[in-house]
Amino acid sequence: KNEVEQSPQNLTAQEGEFITINCSYSVGISALHWLQQHPGGGIVSLFMLSSGKKKHGRLIATINIQEKHSSLHITASHPRDSAVYICAVRETSGSRLTFGEGTQLTVNP
Amino acid sequence: NAGVTQTPKFQVLKTGQSMTLQCAQDMNHNSMYWYRQDPGMGLRLIYYSASEGTTDKGEVPNGYNVSRLNKREFSLRLESAAPSQTSVYFCASSNGGEPYEQYFGPGTRLTVT
């Protein structure tokens, strides 16, 4: 079993839909990262959080440390949101990240 | 301010050939990382350097060597390439302390035939 599990693996939505991507992890962590990988391959960091909730534009990330679970929400989805979304955790010891396999999101117009 | 740069962007090697992937960052970061990304798998850490002058093995170090040439540059060498090393390679850097955010290069797509 992977230390970081994402669901779903693939997600297709219509423009305007509310989207949720889930991440569960099995180790103790000091922080959880959400990253976005564009079709061209570039990876950018969206959020880093250790508790509660963060919002940036139409993106919202939440984490429940007790349940070892995080969600990434996208409101009013748009075709330009089509990308792979990656969850990664930083364990309590050290600065290394462990990554989930990613969720391929496709938003159709 | 270019962030993290990687060269080359694409490379095709024959089995047994050697090559070095170059990575440089201009953010004065202490820590640098090399990952590989394969279909159906998450990014996996090959080697990392917590600070200039130090390197450590990650999850999948076999078949690779690294050099932290200075604070800016961290290279990854394949001494004798194998088809199993066909992958997309990403370099990343972070300041090594809070907030630990990692910044990624654009990636190198390597094919070994």
Side-chain angles (χ1 to χ4, degrees):
Chain A
K1 183 172 162 51
N2 292 335
E3 290 180 351
V4 182
E5 299 265 354
Q6 286 186 236
S7 63
Q9 284 189 314
N10 293 284
L11 180 57
T12 300
Q14 288 302 121
E15 184 172 356
E17 286 185 0
F18 180 84
I19 286 160
T20 296
I21 299 169
N22 296 298
C23 176
S24 297
Y25 54 91
S26 57
V27 296
I29 70 168
S30 55
L32 183 142
H33 299 244
W34 281 102
L35 306 107
Q36 180 189 54
Q37 184 169 23
H38 288 283
I43 299 173
V44 296
S45 179
L46 296 175
F47 294 103
M48 187 180 64
L49 63 166
S50 54
S51 64
K53 175 175 160 179
K54 285 191 176 180
K55 184 174 190 292
H56 184 252
R58 295 180 294 107
L59 273 59
I60 303 166
T62 64
I63 188 168
N64 184 318
I65 295 289
Q66 286 73 31
E67 294 187 3
K68 291 189 164 72
H69 181 268
S70 174
S71 293
L72 176 68
H73 305 287
I74 304 175
T75 63
S77 59
H78 190 275
R80 65 174 174 265
D81 297 325
S82 297
V84 176
Y85 292 84
I86 301 169
C87 171
V89 300
R90 176 158 54 84
E91 297 184 28
T92 46
S93 58
S95 63
R96 293 163 54 170
L97 296 178
T98 301
F99 296 82
E101 292 182 20
T103 295
Q104 173 70 63
L105 171 66
T106 303
V107 182
N108 294 318
Chain B
N1 189 336
V4 180
T5 57
Q6 289 182 237
T7 55
K9 285 192 167 53
F10 301 93
Q11 183 72 48
V12 179
L13 291 178
K14 291 187 182 344
T15 297
Q17 287 185 318
S18 62
M19 79 160 295
T20 299
L21 280 64
Q22 306 286 356
C23 174
Q25 52 90 8
D26 61 3
M27 295 174 281
N28 201 36
H29 283 164
N30 291 314
S31 301
M32 297 185 74
Y33 310 83
W34 275 106
Y35 297 97
R36 60 178 290 172
Q37 185 178 42
D38 301 293
M41 306 187 79
L43 287 154
R44 292 183 292 168
L45 183 65
I46 304 170
Y47 271 94
Y48 69 103
S49 170
S51 61
E52 187 179 355
T54 69
T55 60
D56 285 288
K57 294 179 181 179
E59 186 183 350
V60 288
N62 291 344
Y64 305 95
N65 284 303
V66 290
S67 296
R68 183 77 183 265
L69 305 167
N70 48 54
K71 193 170 187 180
R72 288 187 66 247
E73 298 171 288
F74 188 39
S75 62
L76 178 73
R77 183 158 178 84
L78 287 70
E79 290 292 350
S80 178
S84 61
Q85 293 177 307
T86 293
S87 188
V88 181
Y89 292 85
F90 288 94
C91 176
S93 71
S94 75
N95 62 11
E98 292 292 345
Y100 289 106
E101 184 174 359
Q102 291 192 15
Y103 295 81
F104 287 80
T108 295
R109 186 172 294 273
L110 175 67
T111 302
V112 183
T113 61

